[in-house]
Amino acid sequence: QVQLVESGGGLVQAGGSLRLSCAASGLTFSGYAMGWFRQAPGKEREFVAAINRSGGTTYYADSVKGRFTISRDNAKNTVYLQMNSLKPEDTAVYYCAATSRGGSAYYPPRDYNYWGQGTQVTVSS
């Protein structure tokens, strides 16, 4: 019954921007910290960004810090990932995930209870 649905992926030139959205249903959204992960072809899934339940605390991978911004709108049951200054190495399938753990922003992948289906982001050089 719980669903996380990503959208907003697509093809963009290097240096451009893109905003991903993840709409949640079937859960009490404000009770879950949210994260974004990505997986490039032939590579392991990697952490991108996380946000705590209230939206007041965020955490980023070093590779995206200063370029990406995670945010959430609990009234809309949606978490966002604003991606600026995109690089070809950002090309991947991006996944959102939800965890019932609280008190912080970052949690390891195995702590996440639910995952979306992913959305493709391709950055051309």
Side-chain angles (χ1 to χ4, degrees):
Q1 187 167 335
V2 173
Q3 287 189 309
L4 303 177
V5 181
E6 301 96 335
S7 62
L11 175 64
V12 65
Q13 293 186 130
S17 298
L18 207 61
R19 188 180 74 160
L20 305 183
S21 299
C22 174
S25 61
L27 53 73
T28 302
F29 185 68
S30 62
Y32 289 81
M34 301 295 296
W36 285 97
F37 297 80
R38 66 188 183 186
Q39 187 168 23
K43 295 187 177 181
E44 296 292 316
R45 178 188 60 186
E46 66 175 349
F47 169 77
V48 176
I51 189 166
N52 74 336
R53 291 173 294 183
S54 68
T57 305
T58 58
Y59 187 86
Y60 299 92
D62 289 343
S63 59
V64 307
K65 197 169 187 177
R67 299 189 297 120
F68 291 10
T69 302
I70 187 171
S71 62
R72 66 190 296 161
D73 187 338
N74 285 349
K76 295 182 177 180
N77 289 355
T78 302
V79 62
Y80 305 94
L81 185 68
Q82 178 66 47
M83 305 184 294
N84 298 327
S85 301
L86 282 161
K87 305 174 181 179
E89 49 263 50
D90 295 318
T91 295
V93 176
Y94 283 70
Y95 300 89
C96 68
T99 175
S100 59
R101 291 198 61 183
S104 188
Y106 175 79
Y107 300 100
R110 299 190 75 171
D111 283 359
Y112 284 85
N113 306 98
Y114 305 106
W115 294 82
Q117 84 289 348
T119 186
Q120 177 71 49
V121 172
T122 302
V123 184
S124 63
S125 59

